[in-house]
């Protein structure tokens, strides 16, 4: 280390340590003061009651019919996703390494948008299932059937998300 750098570091250190060493003086005590002592008992009172409004849910035909309908809609959207995926994979592979804005890159982006559209159609039933699940949980009802249907749709959407992420990673 050069001599100037050592001297500069030493001077900076000395100045910093000097700031910590202040003269002795009359400082207030940190002990608890009489006004800070708690005396007596505090009553907490009655806890506030939460008014949770009911969640309105359309269950035309009953819960089982609604769950079947939502899972079927998600599966149809997933089938569409799967049918469009090979073409998108081919276009993305062709665009891999190409410049942003090129014709192959643009074609791949359009194919990815088409996949995104099919994925969003599968996510709509998931939103409805989330609403049904929330309504059942708020009303303290059994939500196991809703949860099973929701898990099935989440798995489909998760598959689609993984496929989209993999394809997008190829043309960045």
């Amino acid at each position: 280390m050069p001599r100037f750098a050592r001297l500069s570091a030493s001077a900076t250190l000395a100045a910093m340590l000097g700031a910590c060493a202040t003269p002795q003086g009359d400082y207030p005590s940190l002990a608890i003061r009489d006004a800070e002592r708690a005396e007596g008992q505090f009553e907490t009172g009655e806890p506030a009651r939460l008014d949770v409004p009911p969640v309105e849910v359309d269950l035309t035909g009953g819960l089982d019919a609604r769950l079947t309908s939502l899972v079927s809609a998600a599966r149809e959207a997933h089938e569409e996703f799967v049918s469009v995926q090979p073409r998108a994979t081919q276009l993305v592979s062709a665009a891999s390494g190409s410049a942003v804005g090129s014709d192959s890159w643009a074609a791949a982006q359009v194919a990815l948008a088409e996949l995104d559209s099919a994925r969003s159609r599968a996510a709509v039933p998931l939103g409805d299932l989330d609403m049904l699940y929330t309504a059942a949980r708020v009303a303290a009802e059994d939500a196991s059937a809703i949860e099973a249907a929701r898990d099935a749709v989440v798995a489909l959407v998760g598959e689609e998300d993984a496929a989209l992420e993999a394809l997008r990673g190829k043309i960045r």
Side-chain angles (χ1 to χ4, degrees), residues 40-118:
Q41 293 182 342
F42 296 102
E43 298 203 17
T44 58
E46 189 67 28
R49 184 118 173 107
L50 291 178
D51 251 348
V52 180
V55 179
E56 298 298 324
V57 177
D58 177 24
L59 290 179
T60 307
L63 179 62
D64 291 336
R66 183 77 173 133
L67 293 178
T68 302
S69 169
L70 290 170
V71 172
S72 294
R75 285 197 174 121
E76 287 173 17
H78 184 69
E79 287 172 10
E80 180 184 344
F81 183 93
V82 170
S83 71
V84 174
Q85 189 175 2
R87 180 174 174 271
T89 302
Q90 180 184 24
L91 289 171
V92 166
S93 295
S96 182
S98 66
V100 173
S102 66
D103 287 344
S104 60
W105 180 87
Q109 293 299 321
V110 170
L112 286 173
E114 198 174 349
L115 279 178
D116 270 331
S117 178

Side-chain angles (χ1 to χ4, degrees), residues 111-138:
L112 286 173
E114 198 174 349
L115 279 178
D116 270 331
S117 178
R119 186 237 176 254
S120 68
R121 280 191 289 284
V124 170
L126 180 58
D128 289 346
L129 286 167
D130 283 343
M131 189 172 60
L132 288 171
Y133 182 76
T134 302
R137 298 297 292 179
V138 166

